Amino acid sequence: MPVFPLGAHVDGDAVRFAVASTSAEVVEVCLVDGPDDALTERRVELTERTFGVWHGTIPGVRPGQRYGYRVHGPYRPWEGARSNPAKILVDPYSRQITGRVTDVRAARGWAGDPMTGPPDTVDSLGHVPLSVVTAPPEGPSRPRPDLPWSDTVITELHVRGFTRLHPEVPPEQRGTYLGLAHPAVIAHLKRIGTTAVELLPVASIADEPPLLERGAPNYWGYSTLGFMAPHAGYASVPGAEVTEFVTMVDALHAAGIEVILDMVPNHTCEGGVGGSTLSYRGLDARAYYSLGGNGHDADITGTGNTLDSGSPTVIRLVCDALRHWVTAYGVDGFRIDLASVLGRPRSGGFDPNASLLTAIAVDPVLSTTKLIAEPWDATGEGYRVGGFGVAWSEWNGRYRDAVRDFWRGHGLIGEVASRLTGSSDIYALSGRRPWASVNFVTAHDGFTLRDLVSYERKHNEANGEANRDGTDDNRSQNFGVEGPTTSPVIAERRLSTARAMLATTLLSIGTPMLVAGDERWRTQRGNNNAYCLDDETSWVDWTPDPDAENLTEFTSRVTALRRAHADLRRDRWLADEEAAWWHPSGRLMTEQDWHDFGACTIGVHVGDSLLLLHAGGAAVACTLPKVGPFRPVLDSTRATGRPVSGRLLPGGTTITLPPRSVLLLRGPAQVGD
């Protein structure tokens, strides 16, 4: 009998089950029926075992059948063996998962002490999620948009938070896959120039034990239970998450918007050894997790456990899961959370050619998608910006830091110049193109754009961790007042600086990424780690507001300029003769200028575009290149970016750059003085 594929697969009037466990002595499929408060189960032992895979066919099983596994085998925590048949386990290859953890104690595989105590004997059935047998997926209904990287503008968003308060979405669809598919929502994404949405995790989520114990959710979703199943909590109708996810992808694709999923193949929801036994730990902890001495989890993710990227079991699961999202739903790409972990087998040193990274990059399906690495983990060893292979784009943390520093008057001007032009010093040597740099100033993790110019300290008290969580390295500014202000002068300085940072991000060479809600002037009230707040702190506010409307229009204007002019979205590195760097005095920059610690004004002339940035707190005179004329097309000091005048400015004209401003002019396609 064939062993593969893993999971539960309908075969005529029967279902083939296959699950990997090298440590099990007996594996039972548990077919679950009945109401949630009175579940019954029928256990069927899988008697076939081939290459560490337990498999068998059970007649009479149909799609919709709930099931789980019970594993009998050694319980030696000090060796990492944690078999406990009292715990019903989710199939790692589930394509649908139902239920949630309702009893933290029942979800634990241990009693007394996780390392020295006996296995817990409380049956977890009825208190933990279950797998669901599904019909074979039909596949996507339309081709993927397949947009070039150089044309890509990413908006990172949370499926629930983006539409939870949207007034045009029917109430029952707000915060769901169907909410994101709503025409009004898609129209907004198109308006701000989005070509790809990067969705925070939508694979099945389960809250970690510490959050369960205090009644808080993992709102962001970086707590995966099943890597192939759409999260049930984002369905408008219970149990309809698969069909609704298909509808969402189809609607976005019909609008020409790609779908990139934020995947978390570096850890699971089970936490450390003191956590829960929901799937992987009970099936085969030693095959799934990177373990340190005495059976403890090696934790380089900051979550309590780390999936072992050197394990064949993990490599197969991750590649199969990613491929499933592409073949079943037509997903266009993936952002890999803490991707450095994938290059550190057994939590060792980083290798860009490690087996899992290589397997993804050379896979015939996955290699046709957009692959984005978050190039760091929870350790210093894991900070690997620029260190990934040619198949990968990367969240460029050096871009974020340089742009934040520039607009608050810190750092060398040469650093921001490198980031503006695609970060060739980071990516060119590896043979990658400028779009390998995913340029961002804000992300889900950290201050919103509004908070970045309103707070200098984090305010995370609502998270319940005494403000200890979240980074202290925010590189932010508050213009003299921490938080909300009644001063119109400070309010305008904040908005002007925010527009300048938005313009910088969208006009830099590389792939720009925005965060949904920044264009709506969204605030989290200084919380830079709102991972457990499923409330107005995290949701996008759609209440009509002049500042939000103007900033949305500003974003729309800048993305339209980017679309219209190829020199603003290059896919090749700039040659020396293709760019001229301008000093505000009207001459080319000199070597000495690049090392001027007080410099806060820079201009770059590429193709038909002259981009001027001035981060100073006072206006400065700036003489344009002698070639000309130039026509202003963007002024970040204006609420919507529309310049006061579009009249032509002769070459050599001296203009005034206002404080904290970005000015884009269009002129002759030549450089020189």
Side-chain angles (χ1 to χ4, degrees):
M1 171 184 174
V3 176
F4 304 115
L6 295 174
H9 296 270
V10 177
D11 185 5
D13 293 330
V15 170
R16 292 179 289 112
F17 292 90
V19 64
S21 178
T22 58
S23 63
E25 295 171 352
V26 174
V27 175
E28 297 170 313
V29 177
C30 303
L31 303 176
V32 179
D33 293 295
D36 290 343
D37 59 351
L39 295 175
T40 62
E41 66 173 314
R42 176 167 67 96
R43 302 186 186 186
V44 180
E45 184 177 340
L46 295 177
T47 57
E48 297 294 325
R49 184 183 185 188
T50 308
F51 307 131
V53 174
W54 299 80
H55 54 96
T57 298
I58 303 177
V61 179
R62 300 286 187 272
Q65 174 68 58
R66 290 170 291 173
Y67 74 99
Y69 292 110
R70 294 189 187 269
V71 173
H72 303 255
Y75 186 83
R76 295 189 289 269
W78 55 92
E79 295 178 358
R82 294 180 174 273
S83 300
N84 185 343
K87 308 304 169 183
I88 191 165
L89 306 174
V90 163
D91 184 349
Y93 278 71
S94 301
R95 297 193 295 271
Q96 186 174 2
I97 295 173
T98 185
R100 59 188 181 88
V101 177
T102 58
D103 186 326
V104 178
R105 159 74 193 283
R108 290 174 178 156
W110 51 274
D113 183 275
M115 297 305 298
T116 61
D120 184 79
T121 58
V122 174
D123 196 312
S124 65
L125 179 62
H127 306 292
V128 296
L130 294 168
S131 302
V132 180
V133 175
T134 61
E138 296 181 0
S141 64
R142 65 176 70 240
R144 305 202 314 259
D146 198 23
L147 299 174
W149 265 112
S150 55
D151 293 345
T152 299
V153 176
I154 297 172
T155 296
E156 186 196 36
L157 63 83
H158 190 286
V159 168
R160 177 168 168 79
F162 192 54
T163 67
R164 183 64 182 82
L165 300 175
H166 200 294
E168 295 184 63
V169 175
E172 68 277 8
Q173 294 182 3
R174 294 173 188 169
T176 71
Y177 300 121
L178 294 186
L180 186 53
H182 192 276
V185 175
I186 291 178
H188 177 82
L189 291 170
K190 296 287 288 184
R191 179 186 177 190
I192 63 173
T194 301
T195 71
V197 289
E198 184 176 301
L199 305 182
L200 267 68
V202 295
S204 181
I205 301 160
D207 301 325
E208 304 99 315
L211 289 173
L212 287 167
E213 288 169 353
R214 69 174 195 254
N218 189 317
Y219 168 75
W220 284 350
Y222 293 92
S223 183
T224 307
L225 173 59
F227 290 95
M228 295 187 182
H231 183 54
Y234 299 151
S236 65
V237 176
E241 61 269 21
V242 172
T243 56
E244 291 190 14
F245 188 88
V246 170
T247 299
M248 177 195 72
V249 174
D250 283 350
L252 289 164
H253 281 178
I257 298 175
E258 295 182 317
V259 179
I260 297 172
L261 302 188
D262 196 336
M263 296 294 289
V264 194
N266 59 79
H267 72 278
T268 77
C269 64
E270 292 184 315
V273 294
S276 54
T277 299
L278 301 176
S279 179
Y280 311 92
R281 179 165 286 124
L283 282 167
D284 196 350
R286 290 175 293 192
Y288 284 104
Y289 292 122
S290 178
L291 301 180
N294 299 323
H296 285 273
D297 288 283
D299 182 12
I300 63 172
T301 64
T303 66
N305 68 60
T306 302
L307 287 171
D308 182 7
S309 64
S311 165
T313 301
V314 172
I315 294 170
R316 181 175 182 183
L317 171 64
V318 172
C319 290
D320 285 351
L322 299 181
R323 198 181 307 110
H324 173 72
W325 289 102
V326 178
T327 58
Y329 301 116
V331 162
D332 303 280
F334 304 94
R335 180 264 192 188
I336 303 298
D337 178 64
L338 302 184
S340 295
V341 172
L342 277 61
R344 301 180 64 182
R346 291 164 292 285
S347 300
F350 179 79
D351 178 3
N353 298 312
S355 51
L356 181 48
L357 290 175
T358 299
I360 294 171
V362 303
D363 184 276
V365 172
L366 302 180
S367 61
T368 69
T369 67
K370 290 180 166 69
L371 298 174
I372 304 171
E374 182 186 34
W376 50 79
D377 56 36
T379 72
E381 159 69 19
Y383 191 79
R384 294 289 168 169
V385 173
F388 283 70
V390 294
W392 295 89
S393 294
E394 298 175 13
W395 271 24
N396 189 346
R398 285 184 59 183
Y399 180 96
R400 172 200 60 207
D401 295 346
V403 172
R404 287 187 179 192
D405 280 346
F406 177 74
W407 288 109
R408 66 190 184 111
H410 292 253
L412 282 174
I413 204 165
E415 174 71 6
V416 78
S418 295
R419 305 307 140 233
L420 285 172
T421 51
S423 296
S424 60
D425 55 328
I426 300 176
Y427 298 108
L429 189 61
S430 64
R432 287 182 279 181
R433 300 279 186 88
W435 41 256
S437 176
V438 176
N439 299 330
F440 68 105
V441 174
T442 58
H444 70 275
D445 186 1
F447 282 150
T448 66
L449 183 64
R450 180 174 179 173
D451 290 355
L452 192 61
V453 294
S454 303
Y455 295 88
E456 293 187 355
R457 303 181 304 279
K458 66 185 182 185
H459 298 268
N460 297 356
E461 291 80 6
N463 298 354
E465 300 179 37
N467 206 36
R468 292 188 299 267
D469 62 306
T471 184
D472 292 312
D473 183 19
N474 295 296
R475 306 185 188 219
S476 58
Q477 55 192 318
N478 65 14
F479 295 93
V481 175
E482 186 75 353
T485 180
T486 57
S487 167
V489 173
I490 293 176
E492 180 48 39
R493 286 175 180 170
R494 290 175 173 178
L495 275 163
S496 184
T497 306
R499 290 192 296 267
M501 286 194 282
L502 262 179
T504 304
T505 304
L506 289 167
L507 298 178
S508 295
I509 295 173
T511 302
M513 185 185 81
L514 308 178
V515 176
D518 275 355
E519 82 285 358
R520 296 285 309 165
W521 205 222
R522 187 175 76 88
T523 179
Q524 292 182 168
R525 297 185 289 278
N527 194 317
N528 72 357
N529 189 39
Y531 76 103
C532 60
L533 300 180
D534 186 6
D535 58 24
E536 288 82 355
T537 305
S538 301
W539 303 338
V540 174
D541 185 357
W542 296 92
T543 304
D545 176 80
D547 289 338
E549 174 56 30
N550 286 335
L551 198 55
T552 298
E553 184 59 27
F554 178 86
T555 305
S556 174
R557 182 176 185 83
V558 185
T559 55
L561 287 167
R562 181 183 177 89
R563 277 195 309 276
H565 303 296
D567 49 1
L568 299 176
R569 45 181 174 82
R570 295 176 58 93
D571 68 349
R572 303 277 180 173
W573 298 111
L574 286 168
D576 289 343
E577 67 276 7
E578 291 182 291
W581 292 97
W582 284 94
H583 191 275
S585 64
R587 58 173 173 79
L588 291 171
M589 295 278 286
T590 67
E591 185 66 26
Q592 184 177 352
D593 292 329
W594 292 115
H595 300 283
D596 181 356
F597 283 92
C600 58
T601 310
I602 192 171
V604 59
H605 190 183
V606 178
D608 293 332
S609 296
L610 175 62
L611 183 63
L612 304 173
L613 295 88
H614 174 54
V620 65
C622 179
T623 301
L624 302 179
K626 292 180 181 177
V627 296
F630 295 94
R631 185 187 303 277
V633 293
L634 180 74
D635 181 351
S636 71
T637 66
R638 307 290 296 173
T640 65
R642 182 179 296 277
V644 174
S645 171
R647 67 181 179 86
L648 290 173
L649 301 173
T653 299
T654 298
I655 63 174
T656 298
L657 294 179
R660 294 171 290 276
S661 60
V662 172
L663 186 64
L664 178 65
L665 305 98
R666 299 288 297 168
Q670 62 185 70
V671 297
D673 58 3

